[in-house]
Amino acid sequence: MLNKLKEIADNSEKWLSQAGSIEEINELRVKVLGRKGEITQVLRGLKDLDAGERASVGKIANQVKEKLESMISSRTEEIKGEELQLRLSRESVDISLPGLPLQRGGKHPLTLINEEIREIFLSMGFSVAEGPEIESDYYNFEALNIPRDHPAREMQDSFYISEDILLRTHTSPVQVRTMEKLAPQLPVKIIVPGRVYRRDDDATHSPMFNQVEGLVIDKRITFGHLKGTLMHFAHKIFGEDVKVRYRPSFFPFTEPSAEMDISCVNCKGSGCRVCSHTGWLEILGAGMVDPRVLQFGGYDGEQVTGFAFGMGVERIAMLKYGINDLRLFFDNDKRFLRQF
Amino acid sequence: MGVSINWLKQYVDFDWKAEELAHRLTMAGIAIEGVERVDDDFILDLDLTPNRGDCLGMINLAREVAALTGSSIRLPEIVIKESQENINQYIKVGIDDPDLCRRYAARLIKNVKIQESPAWLQKALIHSGVRPINNVVDVTNYVMLECNQPLHAFDYNLLGNTILVRRARVGEKFTTLDEVERTLDNDMLVITDGSKPVALAGIMGGLDSEIHDATVDVLLESAWFLGPNIRRTSRKVGLRSESSIRFEKGTDINGVIYAVNRAVMLIQDLAGGEVARGICDEYPVPRKELQVTLRPERVNYLLGTELTPSLMRSYLEKLQFPVKERKGDFIVNIPSYRPDIEIEVDLIEEVARLHGYDQIEPGLPGGEIIPGGLTPFQKFRDEIKNIMSPYLNEVINYSFISEENFQRLLLPQDSNLRNVVRIANPLSEEQAVMRTLLLPGLLHNVSTNLARKNENLGFYEMGAVFYPAESGLPLEKMRLGAIVCGHSDVNWTRHRVEMDFFYLKGIVENLLWKLGLEECEFIVAKDSSYHPGRSAVLKYYGDELGVIGEVHPQVLQNYDIKQRCCAFELDVEKLFAHKRTRSMVDRIARYPAVERDIAVVLANEVTAAAALKVIRDAEKELLKDVVVFDLYAGEQVASGYKSMAFRMTFQSMERTLTENDINSSVNRIVERLQKDLSAQLR
């Protein structure tokens, strides 16, 4: 009987080592450990032995049974593992093939830049104000201290609808509109994004373009605040390492007026084609709100002061995205739009 | 304008190299665009702001340099040998319109010899971009460049003994130096010989009285004309000259005499001749001294600085502005050559720019930060862009279009969309009217892209359209438009989506769903720009939100588009008005859902919407959802009919549904379809 047990154990081990599938192992399990299996038979035969032999053979038989059970289960795990490995290797794909092309859309680069500019000023407590694209001469010029026949009108050749109505040449009219709405509330802290129009069409001018205007009015607003606010903006949008400088300029609705330059983002200030070899790029115009404009808006220039600024969104986008041709913005070529 | 450094050095001393000078001037607000070396000289490219027209004169520019170096300028000394004959014997000056001509001075030089100018003078003019002509004319130009005072030289013998400055008569004809006959009007100022015009004041002289080789007696004009009037006239006649540019920006009324004397002196030097004694100087109302008070504390208040009053005063004195102190304030006499300075802030800017903008400490406004933010409508527009952008590329088109588009869009003659806001002075007919809809721009985008072999397009745009108003400003309405054509990009999975009507409708439905407007109905449209069988108006409880459809083939042809295109255009303000916040309306059932499919044959005229409505109405309690999952027309179905298959989902909140429950529901649905729509079960 012991021989029989040894034989069963040997045969089973052999079988197990040769078995290549779960099915074969199950077959073995039935053959050896099943209700009519070989070990079961041996255990059943124990009753014919005498008591002493029964105990020792029974013990060995149980040991063999336990051993076989554990071998079967570990071999089962092994084979499951092998089968999984096999499946995984069969299922491998060329992961370099492109993904399913969901139609790729996107925002226009000017929208993206506008959003970026807006976020910076929103975080500084600004609100967004808007106004009509078709404006009255009063808001576009008169109330901004640009009377008829003022040479500054030359800077902005306009599209007229009638003698007194025109396509706004800048977003500045919203300054006065907002002041009229809010006066005498303080502070006024707005930016004004929007389309503007000038009668100019060549490689560097588009008859329609986008501006972002800004206006801050409060007690004790200073030129230093203008510098600090716009410097913060320049650093946020072009990086902390850009250098900023201010030089005197002229806008009829601000006094003193300033132009803000940043160190060239292309050559870092050493001089290149982008900055006309000056190392500096003109980014925006700004200034302290002219007291006459404050008065048009319903504020007393002795009691409150303010600063205003304006920038061309296309220019910022061109510098930021390395776009070399203004016309691309309104050409709407798919190959251009898809890059953003 | 080009400025010769050698010339500038006649009036002021400085050690700076050309680049350094350019930088200093730029940082003081006199922008130098570039520096060019020419022979032994450097030419600065001056880019002046409109308020600093004074710096178009060398001497005034020298004043700026002197203010920066802390030195003072040298004015050329005037030495004139006058003859015994008094000018009054020869000429009488009258001003009829002193509102436009506040001062008119004249001097006479007899027996000059007209010839070429010496090399130094020619060179000076050429460096400044002015063409040399002859010694007398060149001197007038030279002095203009030097003093910023335009002068005019007449041939005295062609003029007569009278100068009368007056407004032109309506329709009066006059031929300017450039041999163009001009028709004048009553708003223009002319210099006359008492009867006929001899010069268009401040802009250009007349052909009949110009200096020529045989001129012997020269009458020099030095005058002050009102800038805005010169500007207006110059625009009207389409003529800008070095002279008009200067008068427009404002010249120095008290510099009139110095300039004419300077010119007389140079002419005498270069052309000989005898200078009649005296000056004819009509100056009926002399300029009042302008005094502006500068409060030192106001300077620091506005700039955010702590400059001492004495430092401020030193800057004003560097500019040679006479300053008096009164009770701590400065009373500043504004020189007549600086017409840009009118009020206190103008002086504050002078202090700031001489101090240096870069010397002012930057800061941030104090006080509590009131959180800024977007209005609900601004956020809404962002939301729409966020919803559209994954599928379509945003475009930005010009707000003006060609009126021809309305024809191309097959709009009826009485269409409201033809009622446009028209630009009075468009750059071209292509940009002559403000758009009343976005579709033309979008079709143009497709057309140009296809022409460049950019296939498979999907664009959207959000922007204003414009309509005339009864009074006041035109109306501006925010629109959302989109256009698609072609299919999704070719790829190896062979998975490809046609961008057809239903693709675009899906985009719209997705938008409506996200805005809580899924109850919006699509109703067959009658819009002449769209395919009559493939377009719909969107209605939300009766309010028309916009239109969607395949663009009419004739319209596509008019835009030179050889592919089908689908487009929509929606009213953003209406979407905003109806927008609802989504809320959870369906509880999550704990009992299983059961799906059942049926296919029915329906007459072609029966719409999916009608069938779905019948199904939903037939089983309101247990039917959770129903979708069309197949549509078939062809051999298997009689002509005039189609087979439509529906997948229905049944579920109860209370219990697990039995086979009986579901069968009775399906039967009821089929019965209703048969009864209401003459449907046949397949």
mmCIF file of all heavy atoms in Angstrom, chain A residues 297-327:
data_model
loop_
_atom_site.group_PDB
_atom_site.id
_atom_site.type_symbol
_atom_site.label_atom_id
_atom_site.label_comp_id
_atom_site.label_asym_id
_atom_site.label_seq_id
_atom_site.Cartn_x
_atom_site.Cartn_y
_atom_site.Cartn_z
ATOM 1 N N GLY A 297 -16.153 112.585 -16.395
ATOM 2 C CA GLY A 297 -16.735 111.370 -15.847
ATOM 3 C C GLY A 297 -17.490 111.595 -14.550
ATOM 4 O O GLY A 297 -18.075 110.669 -14.004
ATOM 5 N N GLY A 298 -17.434 112.832 -14.026
ATOM 6 C CA GLY A 298 -18.185 113.141 -12.821
ATOM 7 C C GLY A 298 -17.370 113.062 -11.537
ATOM 8 O O GLY A 298 -17.926 112.992 -10.453
ATOM 9 N N TYR A 299 -16.050 113.062 -11.657
ATOM 10 C CA TYR A 299 -15.198 113.057 -10.466
ATOM 11 C C TYR A 299 -14.423 114.376 -10.391
ATOM 12 O O TYR A 299 -14.147 115.007 -11.417
ATOM 13 C CB TYR A 299 -14.204 111.889 -10.509
ATOM 14 C CG TYR A 299 -14.846 110.540 -10.290
ATOM 15 C CD1 TYR A 299 -15.285 109.780 -11.365
ATOM 16 C CD2 TYR A 299 -15.010 110.034 -9.004
ATOM 17 C CE1 TYR A 299 -15.881 108.545 -11.171
ATOM 18 C CE2 TYR A 299 -15.603 108.791 -8.792
ATOM 19 C CZ TYR A 299 -16.028 108.051 -9.875
ATOM 20 O OH TYR A 299 -16.611 106.830 -9.679
ATOM 21 N N ASP A 300 -14.078 114.756 -9.174
ATOM 22 C CA ASP A 300 -13.317 115.979 -8.958
ATOM 23 C C ASP A 300 -11.828 115.619 -8.890
ATOM 24 O O ASP A 300 -11.383 114.928 -7.985
ATOM 25 C CB ASP A 300 -13.787 116.627 -7.643
ATOM 26 C CG ASP A 300 -12.995 117.881 -7.329
ATOM 27 O OD1 ASP A 300 -12.019 118.184 -8.066
ATOM 28 O OD2 ASP A 300 -13.341 118.563 -6.345
ATOM 29 N N GLY A 301 -11.087 116.112 -9.868
ATOM 30 C CA GLY A 301 -9.666 115.791 -9.982
ATOM 31 C C GLY A 301 -8.829 116.280 -8.806
ATOM 32 O O GLY A 301 -7.685 115.878 -8.648
ATOM 33 N N GLU A 302 -9.394 117.148 -7.969
ATOM 34 C CA GLU A 302 -8.663 117.575 -6.771
ATOM 35 C C GLU A 302 -8.840 116.539 -5.660
ATOM 36 O O GLU A 302 -7.977 116.367 -4.824
ATOM 37 C CB GLU A 302 -9.190 118.928 -6.279
ATOM 38 C CG GLU A 302 -8.567 120.119 -7.002
ATOM 39 C CD GLU A 302 -7.057 120.233 -6.754
ATOM 40 O OE1 GLU A 302 -6.635 120.279 -5.586
ATOM 41 O OE2 GLU A 302 -6.303 120.254 -7.754
ATOM 42 N N GLN A 303 -9.988 115.873 -5.674
ATOM 43 C CA GLN A 303 -10.313 114.934 -4.590
ATOM 44 C C GLN A 303 -9.806 113.521 -4.871
ATOM 45 O O GLN A 303 -9.447 112.788 -3.958
ATOM 46 C CB GLN A 303 -11.825 114.878 -4.372
ATOM 47 C CG GLN A 303 -12.451 116.212 -4.041
ATOM 48 C CD GLN A 303 -11.818 116.836 -2.808
ATOM 49 O OE1 GLN A 303 -11.604 116.160 -1.806
ATOM 50 N NE2 GLN A 303 -11.484 118.120 -2.901
ATOM 51 N N VAL A 304 -9.864 113.121 -6.133
ATOM 52 C CA VAL A 304 -9.441 111.763 -6.470
ATOM 53 C C VAL A 304 -8.448 111.834 -7.625
ATOM 54 O O VAL A 304 -8.419 112.796 -8.375
ATOM 55 C CB VAL A 304 -10.633 110.863 -6.900
ATOM 56 C CG1 VAL A 304 -11.664 110.767 -5.806
ATOM 57 C CG2 VAL A 304 -11.258 111.348 -8.190
ATOM 58 N N THR A 305 -7.640 110.804 -7.714
ATOM 59 C CA THR A 305 -6.713 110.704 -8.845
ATOM 60 C C THR A 305 -6.846 109.299 -9.415
ATOM 61 O O THR A 305 -7.484 108.430 -8.820
ATOM 62 C CB THR A 305 -5.259 110.948 -8.401
ATOM 63 O OG1 THR A 305 -4.981 110.113 -7.285
ATOM 64 C CG2 THR A 305 -5.032 112.395 -8.045
ATOM 65 N N GLY A 306 -6.231 109.095 -10.544
ATOM 66 C CA GLY A 306 -6.347 107.768 -11.136
ATOM 67 C C GLY A 306 -5.314 107.555 -12.213
ATOM 68 O O GLY A 306 -4.643 108.485 -12.646
ATOM 69 N N PHE A 307 -5.163 106.312 -12.592
ATOM 70 C CA PHE A 307 -4.319 106.044 -13.757
ATOM 71 C C PHE A 307 -5.078 105.173 -14.738
ATOM 72 O O PHE A 307 -6.042 104.485 -14.380
ATOM 73 C CB PHE A 307 -2.967 105.433 -13.378
ATOM 74 C CG PHE A 307 -3.003 104.048 -12.789
ATOM 75 C CD1 PHE A 307 -3.104 102.924 -13.611
ATOM 76 C CD2 PHE A 307 -2.884 103.860 -11.417
ATOM 77 C CE1 PHE A 307 -3.100 101.638 -13.059
ATOM 78 C CE2 PHE A 307 -2.885 102.585 -10.859
ATOM 79 C CZ PHE A 307 -3.000 101.476 -11.684
ATOM 80 N N ALA A 308 -4.650 105.260 -15.984
ATOM 81 C CA ALA A 308 -5.289 104.495 -17.045
ATOM 82 C C ALA A 308 -4.179 103.902 -17.902
ATOM 83 O O ALA A 308 -3.051 104.400 -17.920
ATOM 84 C CB ALA A 308 -6.180 105.384 -17.889
ATOM 85 N N PHE A 309 -4.513 102.815 -18.582
ATOM 86 C CA PHE A 309 -3.522 102.219 -19.488
ATOM 87 C C PHE A 309 -4.255 101.510 -20.615
ATOM 88 O O PHE A 309 -5.452 101.226 -20.508
ATOM 89 C CB PHE A 309 -2.598 101.237 -18.747
ATOM 90 C CG PHE A 309 -3.338 100.152 -18.003
ATOM 91 C CD1 PHE A 309 -3.655 98.947 -18.635
ATOM 92 C CD2 PHE A 309 -3.709 100.329 -16.685
ATOM 93 C CE1 PHE A 309 -4.338 97.944 -17.956
ATOM 94 C CE2 PHE A 309 -4.388 99.331 -15.993
ATOM 95 C CZ PHE A 309 -4.707 98.138 -16.627
ATOM 96 N N GLY A 310 -3.534 101.257 -21.669
ATOM 97 C CA GLY A 310 -4.143 100.549 -22.792
ATOM 98 C C GLY A 310 -3.084 99.772 -23.534
ATOM 99 O O GLY A 310 -1.942 100.222 -23.665
ATOM 100 N N MET A 311 -3.471 98.579 -23.990
ATOM 101 C CA MET A 311 -2.486 97.768 -24.713
ATOM 102 C C MET A 311 -3.142 97.068 -25.888
ATOM 103 O O MET A 311 -4.355 96.822 -25.879
ATOM 104 C CB MET A 311 -1.844 96.747 -23.786
ATOM 105 C CG MET A 311 -2.808 95.689 -23.284
ATOM 106 S SD MET A 311 -2.033 94.657 -22.032
ATOM 107 C CE MET A 311 -2.669 95.394 -20.540
ATOM 108 N N GLY A 312 -2.342 96.766 -26.885
ATOM 109 C CA GLY A 312 -2.835 96.022 -28.038
ATOM 110 C C GLY A 312 -2.687 94.532 -27.764
ATOM 111 O O GLY A 312 -1.603 94.044 -27.460
ATOM 112 N N VAL A 313 -3.800 93.820 -27.851
ATOM 113 C CA VAL A 313 -3.780 92.392 -27.523
ATOM 114 C C VAL A 313 -2.977 91.610 -28.568
ATOM 115 O O VAL A 313 -2.240 90.680 -28.230
ATOM 116 C CB VAL A 313 -5.223 91.842 -27.429
ATOM 117 C CG1 VAL A 313 -5.214 90.364 -27.072
ATOM 118 C CG2 VAL A 313 -6.014 92.631 -26.400
ATOM 119 N N GLU A 314 -3.091 92.007 -29.834
ATOM 120 C CA GLU A 314 -2.358 91.301 -30.892
ATOM 121 C C GLU A 314 -0.854 91.365 -30.630
ATOM 122 O O GLU A 314 -0.141 90.388 -30.818
ATOM 123 C CB GLU A 314 -2.653 91.918 -32.267
ATOM 124 C CG GLU A 314 -4.026 91.569 -32.822
ATOM 125 C CD GLU A 314 -5.142 92.391 -32.200
ATOM 126 O OE1 GLU A 314 -4.845 93.273 -31.372
ATOM 127 O OE2 GLU A 314 -6.310 92.144 -32.545
ATOM 128 N N ARG A 315 -0.404 92.541 -30.195
ATOM 129 C CA ARG A 315 1.028 92.700 -29.966
ATOM 130 C C ARG A 315 1.511 91.755 -28.858
ATOM 131 O O ARG A 315 2.526 91.087 -28.984
ATOM 132 C CB ARG A 315 1.337 94.150 -29.596
ATOM 133 C CG ARG A 315 2.782 94.392 -29.234
ATOM 134 C CD ARG A 315 3.226 95.784 -29.605
ATOM 135 N NE ARG A 315 4.584 96.066 -29.188
ATOM 136 C CZ ARG A 315 5.651 95.773 -29.902
ATOM 137 N NH1 ARG A 315 5.508 95.175 -31.065
ATOM 138 N NH2 ARG A 315 6.859 96.070 -29.468
ATOM 139 N N ILE A 316 0.733 91.712 -27.788
ATOM 140 C CA ILE A 316 1.104 90.828 -26.676
ATOM 141 C C ILE A 316 1.116 89.374 -27.171
ATOM 142 O O ILE A 316 2.027 88.604 -26.883
ATOM 143 C CB ILE A 316 0.098 90.961 -25.512
ATOM 144 C CG1 ILE A 316 -0.106 92.425 -25.142
ATOM 145 C CG2 ILE A 316 0.516 90.098 -24.324
ATOM 146 C CD1 ILE A 316 0.729 92.974 -24.060
ATOM 147 N N ALA A 317 0.084 89.016 -27.940
ATOM 148 C CA ALA A 317 -0.016 87.630 -28.435
ATOM 149 C C ALA A 317 1.149 87.317 -29.367
ATOM 150 O O ALA A 317 1.715 86.223 -29.319
ATOM 151 C CB ALA A 317 -1.352 87.424 -29.150
ATOM 152 N N MET A 318 1.519 88.270 -30.209
ATOM 153 C CA MET A 318 2.620 88.030 -31.144
ATOM 154 C C MET A 318 3.918 87.759 -30.383
ATOM 155 O O MET A 318 4.668 86.845 -30.712
ATOM 156 C CB MET A 318 2.799 89.233 -32.082
ATOM 157 C CG MET A 318 1.698 89.331 -33.129
ATOM 158 S SD MET A 318 1.753 90.864 -34.094
ATOM 159 C CE MET A 318 2.927 90.378 -35.359
ATOM 160 N N LEU A 319 4.153 88.551 -29.350
ATOM 161 C CA LEU A 319 5.385 88.380 -28.574
ATOM 162 C C LEU A 319 5.351 87.080 -27.792
ATOM 163 O O LEU A 319 6.320 86.341 -27.727
ATOM 164 C CB LEU A 319 5.565 89.558 -27.619
ATOM 165 C CG LEU A 319 5.825 90.902 -28.309
ATOM 166 C CD1 LEU A 319 5.803 92.029 -27.294
ATOM 167 C CD2 LEU A 319 7.176 90.868 -29.034
ATOM 168 N N LYS A 320 4.194 86.805 -27.216
ATOM 169 C CA LYS A 320 4.079 85.653 -26.341
ATOM 170 C C LYS A 320 4.121 84.335 -27.133
ATOM 171 O O LYS A 320 4.709 83.360 -26.686
ATOM 172 C CB LYS A 320 2.740 85.786 -25.614
ATOM 173 C CG LYS A 320 2.506 84.778 -24.577
ATOM 174 C CD LYS A 320 2.587 85.324 -23.180
ATOM 175 C CE LYS A 320 2.276 84.163 -22.273
ATOM 176 N NZ LYS A 320 2.970 84.099 -21.071
ATOM 177 N N TYR A 321 3.484 84.300 -28.290
ATOM 178 C CA TYR A 321 3.403 83.064 -29.064
ATOM 179 C C TYR A 321 4.391 83.021 -30.227
ATOM 180 O O TYR A 321 4.371 82.065 -31.012
ATOM 181 C CB TYR A 321 1.983 82.882 -29.629
ATOM 182 C CG TYR A 321 0.904 82.698 -28.585
ATOM 183 C CD1 TYR A 321 -0.338 83.282 -28.748
ATOM 184 C CD2 TYR A 321 1.126 81.924 -27.449
ATOM 185 C CE1 TYR A 321 -1.338 83.114 -27.807
ATOM 186 C CE2 TYR A 321 0.132 81.762 -26.507
ATOM 187 C CZ TYR A 321 -1.092 82.351 -26.685
ATOM 188 O OH TYR A 321 -2.079 82.185 -25.757
ATOM 189 N N GLY A 322 5.199 84.078 -30.368
ATOM 190 C CA GLY A 322 6.148 84.093 -31.470
ATOM 191 C C GLY A 322 5.471 84.145 -32.828
ATOM 192 O O GLY A 322 5.911 83.510 -33.786
ATOM 193 N N ILE A 323 4.388 84.901 -32.932
ATOM 194 C CA ILE A 323 3.681 85.056 -34.210
ATOM 195 C C ILE A 323 4.292 86.254 -34.924
ATOM 196 O O ILE A 323 4.444 87.326 -34.337
ATOM 197 C CB ILE A 323 2.174 85.283 -33.956
ATOM 198 C CG1 ILE A 323 1.576 84.050 -33.288
ATOM 199 C CG2 ILE A 323 1.445 85.623 -35.252
ATOM 200 C CD1 ILE A 323 0.189 84.254 -32.724
ATOM 201 N N ASN A 324 4.667 86.053 -36.200
ATOM 202 C CA ASN A 324 5.428 87.123 -36.851
ATOM 203 C C ASN A 324 4.600 87.977 -37.795
ATOM 204 O O ASN A 324 5.109 88.915 -38.391
ATOM 205 C CB ASN A 324 6.614 86.527 -37.601
ATOM 206 C CG ASN A 324 6.136 85.486 -38.606
ATOM 207 O OD1 ASN A 324 4.940 85.287 -38.792
ATOM 208 N ND2 ASN A 324 7.065 84.818 -39.248
ATOM 209 N N ASP A 325 3.319 87.640 -37.959
ATOM 210 C CA ASP A 325 2.529 88.375 -38.935
ATOM 211 C C ASP A 325 1.147 88.681 -38.364
ATOM 212 O O ASP A 325 0.371 87.786 -38.063
ATOM 213 C CB ASP A 325 2.393 87.532 -40.219
ATOM 214 C CG ASP A 325 1.663 88.274 -41.323
ATOM 215 O OD1 ASP A 325 1.200 89.409 -41.079
ATOM 216 O OD2 ASP A 325 1.566 87.713 -42.422
ATOM 217 N N LEU A 326 0.884 89.962 -38.215
ATOM 218 C CA LEU A 326 -0.388 90.417 -37.640
ATOM 219 C C LEU A 326 -1.599 89.860 -38.392
ATOM 220 O O LEU A 326 -2.642 89.573 -37.820
ATOM 221 C CB LEU A 326 -0.412 91.952 -37.681
ATOM 222 C CG LEU A 326 -1.694 92.655 -37.242
ATOM 223 C CD1 LEU A 326 -1.874 92.544 -35.738
ATOM 224 C CD2 LEU A 326 -1.694 94.114 -37.662
ATOM 225 N N ARG A 327 -1.426 89.712 -39.710
ATOM 226 C CA ARG A 327 -2.569 89.323 -40.532
ATOM 227 C C ARG A 327 -3.073 87.920 -40.222
ATOM 228 O O ARG A 327 -4.221 87.594 -40.490
ATOM 229 C CB ARG A 327 -2.179 89.398 -42.004
ATOM 230 C CG ARG A 327 -2.041 90.816 -42.444
ATOM 231 C CD ARG A 327 -1.220 90.923 -43.709
ATOM 232 N NE ARG A 327 -1.181 92.306 -44.118
ATOM 233 C CZ ARG A 327 -2.098 92.885 -44.859
ATOM 234 N NH1 ARG A 327 -3.112 92.188 -45.297
ATOM 235 N NH2 ARG A 327 -2.011 94.146 -45.168
#
